[in-house]
């Protein structure tokens, strides 16, 4: 992962002339021998068994399921990767907010970004990555709409401007902190993951990919393996760290205190 810049920043020293004359010992930072950190792949995949008679009667159903199963697996894998990043960033920091989702989101991003840039002495204009659930865009649109108060419908560009103002590159994602089924209100808080680009690396390797496999044991019960897919997956934390935050959600369109 490399050295922690915040530790190196504190390694310098300044001595007065009197201290130099007195021979005061200068503190030295000793380069540590880094431990070997091993990241091992998990085995992720999907297995679909197909009844032979069902395939004979409804081949279009089997074809649709096999096709959509691959899409479903990618969503499952996406959830695994995002959860691994969230776990690595640790417990989220909760922001209190002042009661407007749009301005509270901007302020929380600005504070979190300032903390990360300060810790690693990043460029003040360096763009950070931010990951939020897909519904965050709609929350911000509703709040902006009510704040306008004149019936002007906010656009995607209006929402993007909030993240751009905080020097953040936003990704709206499925498969993480999703809305409960049949929701009639937004969640109480909006989660976000913030980190410098390159902080995490997704590791993958193909393991096995089989389809239309007929074996004696399956034939005895009138089935075959329509799809068996497996790959190794892991997320390795690299370079800098980041932060996880939760932002209160209020779409009342409040302005000011």
């Amino acid at each position: 992962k490399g050295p922690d810049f915040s530790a190196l920043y504190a390694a310098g020293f300044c001595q007065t002339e009197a201290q130099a004359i007195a021979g005061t010992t200068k503190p030295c930072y000793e380069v540590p021998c880094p431990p070997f950190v091993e990241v091992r792949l998990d085995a992720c995949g999907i297995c679909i068994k197909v009844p032979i008679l069902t395939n004979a009667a409804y081949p279009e159903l089997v074809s649709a399921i096999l096709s959509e199963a691959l899409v479903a697996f990618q969503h499952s894998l996406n959830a695994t990767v995002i959860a691994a990043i969230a776990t690595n960033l640790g417990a989220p920091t909760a922001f209190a907010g002042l009661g407007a989702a749009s301005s509270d989101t901007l302020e929380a991003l600005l504070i979190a970004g300032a903390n990360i840039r300060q810790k690693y002495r990043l460029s003040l204009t360096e763009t950070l990555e931010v990951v939020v659930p897909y519904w965050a865009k709609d929350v911000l649109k509703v709040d902006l709409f009510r704040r306008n108060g004149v019936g002007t419908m906010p656009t995607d560009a209006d929402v993007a401007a909030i993240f751009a103002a905080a020097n953040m590159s936003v990704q709206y994602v499925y498969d993480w902190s999703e809305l409960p089924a049949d929701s009639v209100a937004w969640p109480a808080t909006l989660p976000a993951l913030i980190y410098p680009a390159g902080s995490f690396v997704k590791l993958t390797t193909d393991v096995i990919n089989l389809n239309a496999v007929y074996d004696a044991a399956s034939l005895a019960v009138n089935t075959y393996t329509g799809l068996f897919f497996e790959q190794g997956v892991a997320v390795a934390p690299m370079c800098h760290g980041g932060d996880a935050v939760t932002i209160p959600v209020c779409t009342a369109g409040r302005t000011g205190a």
Side-chain angles (χ1 to χ4, degrees):
K1 296 178 66 173
D4 184 346
F5 184 84
S6 59
L8 293 174
Y9 183 75
F13 64 85
C14 289
Q15 278 193 347
T16 64
E17 182 180 17
Q19 288 173 320
I21 293 173
T24 302
T25 301
K26 299 178 178 68
C28 293
Y29 175 87
E30 183 173 340
V31 177
C33 182
F36 189 83
V37 179
E38 188 173 47
V39 177
R40 289 184 172 270
L41 302 176
D42 295 327
C44 300
I46 191 168
C47 177
I48 306 292
K49 288 285 189 178
V50 181
I52 293 176
L53 295 180
T54 301
N55 184 53
Y58 306 102
E60 69 284 357
L61 171 64
V62 174
S63 177
I65 287 178
L66 294 179
S67 176
E68 293 179 14
L70 294 176
V71 177
F73 171 74
Q74 290 301 324
H75 279 286
S76 173
L77 189 61
N78 188 47
T80 299
V81 170
I82 296 173
I85 294 175
T87 299
N88 185 272
L89 292 178
T93 301
F95 285 88
L98 294 176
S102 51
S103 57
D104 285 349
T105 297
L106 174 60
E107 184 173 35
L109 295 177
L110 287 170
I111 294 174
N115 288 334
I116 295 171
R117 293 187 182 94
Q118 175 178 279
K119 181 177 180 179
Y120 300 110
R121 293 307 191 271
L122 303 178
S123 166
L124 296 180
T125 58
E126 179 166 340
T127 299
L128 302 178
E129 301 291 322
V130 58
V131 177
V132 294
Y134 71 93
W135 48 264
K137 182 187 295 186
D138 296 327
V139 165
L140 298 177
K141 279 185 176 180
V142 171
D143 188 59
L144 288 173
F145 179 74
R146 289 200 173 109
R147 291 188 69 178
N148 289 337
V150 293
T152 302
M153 184 63 65
T155 64
D156 287 356
D158 295 322
V159 175
I162 295 174
F163 295 93
N167 283 333
M168 300 281 178
S169 176
V170 63
Q171 298 180 61
Y172 304 100
V173 299
Y174 278 120
D175 312 314
W176 178 58
S177 192
E178 294 192 330
L179 294 175
D182 302 320
S183 295
V184 295
W186 300 115
T189 58
L190 167 64
L193 307 176
I194 305 170
Y195 51 87
S199 294
F200 298 96
V201 175
K202 178 183 174 183
L203 311 174
T204 62
T205 185
D206 292 333
V207 178
I208 190 171
N209 190 353
L210 302 173
N211 61 77
V213 177
Y214 295 82
D215 60 88
S218 295
L219 289 174
V221 291
N222 236 20
T223 64
Y224 71 93
T225 301
L227 175 66
F228 186 90
F229 173 87
E230 186 176 301
Q231 67 175 191
V233 179
V235 174
M238 307 291 289
C239 305
H240 306 303
D243 198 7
V245 301
T246 57
I247 306 163
V249 171
C250 176
T251 57
R254 295 173 183 164
T255 301

